[in-house]
Amino acid sequence: MNTEPKRKFGVVVVGVGRAGSVRMRDLRNPHPSSAFLNLIGFVSRRELGSIDGVQQISLEDALSSQEVEVAYICSESSSHEDYIRQFLNAGKHVLVEYPMTLSLAAAQELWELAEQKGKVLHEEHVELLMEEFAFLKKEVVGKDLLKGSLLFTAGPLEEERFGFPAFSGISRLTWLVSLFGELSLVSATLEERKEDQYMKMTVCLETEKKSPLSWIEEKGPGLKRNRYLSFHFKSGSLENVPNVGVNKNIFLKDQNIFVQKLLGQFSEKELAAEKKRILHCLGLAEEIQKYCSSRK
């Protein structure tokens, strides 16, 4: 990306909530990766007209426009699959916020479609670009895990819009897989009190070396957004992450990765490893959902 852009890829942002707004800000500010991108407009179900001088355009226009070569899908998770399919079929590259889909089969199908069309399909994982994750990665390297747990708490989230908790919380699962390798499901439970907007998903996983890992997602009114972790190794323990600094520009760092893919600067090996990890996590999320559903 140190080269001067020979041309700019025209971009449309679909969905202008929190992530979409940050994406639009990054596209409009002078950054090395933004120099390769040209924000053409945004698509929203709401009638907004324009935002900070950026024009709203219809989905049909975004799909048919020769100017639009890239779509950033920042809408609710339940709509991702349909948008990705439409933009890939229209011959556009796609960046999508996680989770890319709410089923493994759909993700595999869309990846095949992207490969057929010769287009980049990139699933955002800003959680892997956080300072806390960089700290953890250094801490766990070369250590033998005995057991571990990761608890995430937050306010309520609508399952209809954001998917089953194993999908809406897939960034936590991605942390565990990125730290400890591929995991297998032992058991899972889901406790729900819909009238109180409360839910708690408890998942028991194990590493390839049979070390147990528990993952808990707990959401409800009054619960603060927090992450609690505990990892026990043969050589000591790690209880939570110290304050390792502010996560600066993580969406921009993700955009840098996407632009490198557009420019063909990622090796086939790197792309294959990333795809394998993403599909593994989506497959686990689906397995957890099925396990919980079968015990209702």
Side-chain angles (χ1 to χ4, degrees), residues 36-50:
F36 290 86
L37 303 163
N38 175 33
L39 178 57
I40 286 166
F42 69 89
V43 173
S44 176
R45 286 178 312 198
R46 294 172 288 163
E47 285 298 327
L48 299 170
S50 69

Side-chain angles (χ1 to χ4, degrees), residues 59-125:
L59 176 62
E60 293 70 27
D61 286 350
L63 289 165
S64 62
S65 169
Q66 295 296 304
E67 260 191 300
V68 174
E69 297 166 274
V70 169
Y72 282 16
I73 312 296
C74 310
S75 55
E76 295 162 352
S77 308
S78 55
S79 65
H80 288 180
E81 180 186 338
D82 188 42
Y83 280 133
I84 296 169
R85 186 174 285 106
Q86 289 190 68
F87 278 101
L88 286 177
N89 275 322
K92 320 292 186 191
H93 301 284
V94 173
L95 174 153
V96 61
E97 310 299 346
Y98 72 74
M100 150 182 179
T101 61
L102 299 177
S103 81
L104 174 62
Q108 288 170 321
E109 182 203 328
L110 291 172
W111 233 305
E112 282 170 22
L113 180 59
E115 284 162 10
Q116 280 167 22
K117 298 280 183 182
K119 298 297 166 188
V120 172
L121 173 54
H122 170 80
E123 184 185 52
E124 162 268 309
H125 278 286

